Amino acid sequence: MVHYKLIYFNLRGRGELARLILHHQEVAFEDFRFEREEWTKYKTGTPFGQVPVLEVDGKPLAQSNAIARYLARQHGLAGQNEWEQSQADMYVDCIYDLISGTRPIIHESDKEKQKEILQKFLKETVNPHLEKLEQQLIKNGTGFLVGKSITWADLAYYSFFSPMTERFGDSVMDNSPHLKKLVEHVANIPQIKKYVETRPKTTL
Amino acid sequence: MLIETFYRQIGSEIVTNKSFKFSMAVYKLHYFDNPRRGHAELSRLILSQAGVPFEDVRFPHSEWPNMKPTTPFGQVPILEVNGQMLAQSNAIARYLARQHGLAGKDDWEQAQTDMYIENINDLLNAVAVPFVEKDPAKQKEMYGKFMTETIAFHVVAVEKQLKKNNTGYLVGDRLTAADLAYYALFSDFIEVKFGGAFLKDAPLLKSLLVRVRTSPNVKKWIDFRNSKYYPDGNE
């Protein structure tokens, strides 16, 4: 049996999607977490000075999406055929862009300015995306983003939008009933629910 | 296979000869006419390297308001495949690489290829910040920092990986989309803009970039696109 070691900060952040995939598929793994202060200790051991890193029987793989995609493919959450796989990729890439968009907000120390950047981000980036996303969900017609069953794309949207509503309130998905339903569905999946209840509580 | 060879022959004909009307092209890649490379170039390189015909649609920005609502997420590039649409430059590149044997020979190599493409994506996002900076002094400072910190660090890291892999290529023992992605950023953008000094301590990366640039199908594409789209010189 292959041994997975996922190395990341003790945060959700860019490591959480891989964790969700593994928990959803009930695949055992070493969920190695370290605190921010220990970063310099681990940084030099990574291929590109970044985490997450996934060690597969000791062989390292970097880049959060490459890791998540590999795990999704190995464990049946990537889509039923190559076209579906690329659709799932597309959605996860959208989430990657949204995550990147939150960085200036997270790093802004001035509370007033932070609020301003956040509002701009919601108005100019998140909301237009959600409008399109609702159309895609309606078009697919199954409740899931891709095909007829859950893929890592759905977990990626849950992974981003669940903390968003935690932090900024339910109104984030006010105009996105289909996404809201999808996020709730994922939240209530037994394996996900159990993991979320027992995982370390972290700010990000 | 004879048929494959025939199609590949036709494929490179289509890419280099715009007057060759042949509606066999399964792919339609949509992007702005400016930037001329931008987020579409990796896919163009992949298709060209694989000898696969494609319709390279470049539209003026004035057409964008009409086109935008027809796209899945209000963005380009878009790949149209038999009437269906795929968005997100990397999802497109990855799909094309997989379909045409440029994504590594097994799941692990595919993951490695993905990793390198995503490295480039991060670097592109990082350089986009100074790229759009309007204040020239600030822009110069930001570019300087990008080169001396971000790029310098990454070059050391990737040189180490190339040494470890020991084949001259980033993944496995042959050219993949990973090598094309590194070419697209490091040669096609960074070297052009900042010169090649940043490669002085990275002989493996340097020779990889040359290897990609001189690879027959890639060279054919670059010569074609340069003569067609950069009559005023490479930019």
Side-chain angles (χ1 to χ4, degrees):
Chain A
M1 223 202 71
V2 84
H3 181 255
Y4 293 132
K5 182 177 179 181
L6 182 70
I7 303 165
Y8 192 55
F9 296 108
N10 184 22
L11 295 170
R12 285 168 288 166
R14 293 197 193 271
E16 197 63 4
L17 181 54
R19 295 178 184 131
L20 289 168
I21 290 166
L22 290 163
H23 279 285
H24 186 275
Q25 298 304 85
E26 296 179 297
V27 174
F29 70 106
E30 195 186 332
D31 188 1
F32 187 84
R33 298 162 179 251
F34 57 88
E35 301 302 328
R36 275 205 181 278
E37 307 82 67
E38 302 176 87
W39 176 218
T40 44
K41 196 164 103 187
Y42 295 104
K43 184 171 176 161
T44 49
T46 66
F48 299 101
Q50 294 175 324
V51 280
V53 168
L54 178 74
E55 281 179 5
V56 182
D57 286 337
K59 292 183 300 180
L61 180 67
Q63 284 289 352
S64 57
N65 277 355
I67 291 168
R69 191 177 301 109
Y70 175 75
L71 293 171
R73 283 216 160 88
Q74 295 302 107
H75 301 286
L77 267 184
Q80 298 301 313
N81 54 53
E82 292 188 338
W83 184 251
E84 281 195 8
Q85 284 179 13
S86 67
Q87 295 272 301
D89 280 356
M90 173 182 79
Y91 284 115
V92 179
D93 280 355
C94 287
I95 289 296
Y96 191 87
D97 286 350
L98 291 177
I99 294 175
S100 300
T102 61
R103 289 188 71 199
I105 302 167
I106 291 169
H107 291 285
E108 178 57 59
S109 45
D110 178 329
K111 289 286 173 208
E112 278 308 306
K113 191 135 202 275
Q114 191 189 52
K115 215 171 167 184
E116 205 184 300
I117 311 175
L118 169 68
Q119 288 308 319
K120 191 166 185 239
F121 176 64
L122 289 173
K123 182 169 176 230
E124 293 178 11
T125 309
V126 180
N127 290 341
H129 178 75
L130 287 179
E131 251 181 73
K132 289 286 199 174
L133 189 80
E134 275 297 292
Q135 287 169 25
Q136 296 293 323
L137 277 165
I138 292 166
K139 195 167 147 195
N140 193 42
T142 64
F144 298 105
L145 284 164
V146 179
K148 302 189 181 77
S149 48
I150 196 167
T151 63
W152 68 305
D154 303 301
L155 296 180
Y157 271 76
Y158 162 79
S159 184
F160 183 78
F161 282 97
S162 181
M164 282 288 277
T165 51
E166 245 175 66
R167 237 181 156 168
F168 306 117
D170 275 342
S171 61
V172 170
M173 289 190 288
D174 260 353
N175 298 319
S176 311
H178 291 83
L179 177 63
K180 195 167 183 178
K181 201 165 168 206
L182 174 60
V183 169
E184 277 167 11
H185 172 85
V186 173
N188 287 313
I189 293 170
Q191 311 90 286
I192 300 293
K193 203 166 180 182
K194 182 169 168 223
Y195 165 59
V196 169
E197 279 165 9
T198 54
R199 74 183 168 193
K201 301 280 175 272
T202 57
T203 48
L204 287 172
Chain B
M1 264 235 76
L2 274 176
I3 292 185
E4 198 182 85
T5 316
F6 173 75
Y7 284 168
R8 280 172 188 277
Q9 202 65 12
I10 298 290
S12 32
E13 292 294 310
I14 290 171
V15 169
T16 55
N17 183 354
K18 65 168 181 193
S19 63
F20 189 105
K21 278 279 186 201
F22 191 102
S23 56
M24 221 206 86
V26 180
Y27 300 124
K28 214 166 161 178
L29 184 68
H30 297 267
Y31 196 56
F32 298 116
D33 59 2
N34 186 18
R36 289 168 285 196
R37 299 192 294 284
H39 287 284
E41 195 64 10
L42 177 56
S43 289
R44 295 179 185 134
L45 284 164
I46 289 167
L47 288 162
S48 303
Q49 169 62 19
V52 174
F54 66 104
E55 211 180 313
D56 186 10
V57 179
R58 300 165 185 245
F59 60 89
H61 282 257
S62 53
E63 262 176 53
W64 181 227
N66 287 332
M67 239 212 113
K68 189 170 173 170
T70 68
T71 65
F73 297 105
Q75 294 173 322
V76 279
I78 295 293
L79 181 73
E80 241 186 280
V81 188
N82 298 330
Q84 293 191 290
M85 287 206 201
L86 184 65
Q88 283 288 351
S89 57
N90 287 335
I92 293 168
R94 225 176 277 120
Y95 174 73
L96 293 172
R98 283 212 164 88
Q99 293 298 108
H100 301 289
L102 281 171
K105 65 177 194 291
D106 56 31
D107 287 352
W108 183 248
E109 284 195 2
Q110 280 184 17
Q112 300 263 297
T113 307
D114 285 352
M115 173 182 79
Y116 284 114
I117 290 176
E118 282 157 29
N119 280 348
I120 294 299
N121 192 52
D122 282 351
L123 294 173
L124 268 173
N125 286 342
V127 83
V129 182
F131 193 76
V132 301
E133 175 57 55
K134 303 256 189 313
D135 176 346
K138 192 149 194 256
Q139 188 189 53
K140 192 169 178 195
E141 194 192 319
M142 289 168 99
Y143 271 138
K145 205 168 170 214
F146 173 73
M147 288 303 291
T148 56
E149 291 178 16
T150 312
I151 289 298
F153 181 89
H154 192 81
V155 167
V156 170
V158 78
E159 187 72 7
K160 203 166 153 189
Q161 295 298 319
L162 279 165
K163 194 166 181 187
K164 202 167 140 192
N165 194 38
N166 199 29
T167 63
Y169 297 102
L170 284 166
V171 179
D173 60 4
R174 67 202 70 181
L175 189 83
T176 63
D179 306 299
L180 296 174
Y182 271 70
Y183 167 79
L185 178 70
F186 284 100
S187 274
D188 242 2
F189 179 73
I190 293 180
E191 256 186 301
V192 168
K193 198 167 177 62
F194 301 106
F198 74 100
L199 289 166
K200 66 174 171 23
D201 295 322
L204 296 174
L205 178 60
K206 192 172 183 176
S207 62
L208 171 62
L209 296 175
V210 171
R211 192 172 303 118
V212 173
R213 193 186 316 132
T214 57
S215 171
N217 286 355
V218 173
K219 184 175 188 322
K220 209 166 176 183
W221 165 250
I222 293 169
D223 289 344
F224 166 71
R225 77 149 195 226
N226 286 0
S227 66
K228 181 168 177 164
Y229 298 111
Y230 316 125
D232 48 354
N234 196 13
E235 195 244 85

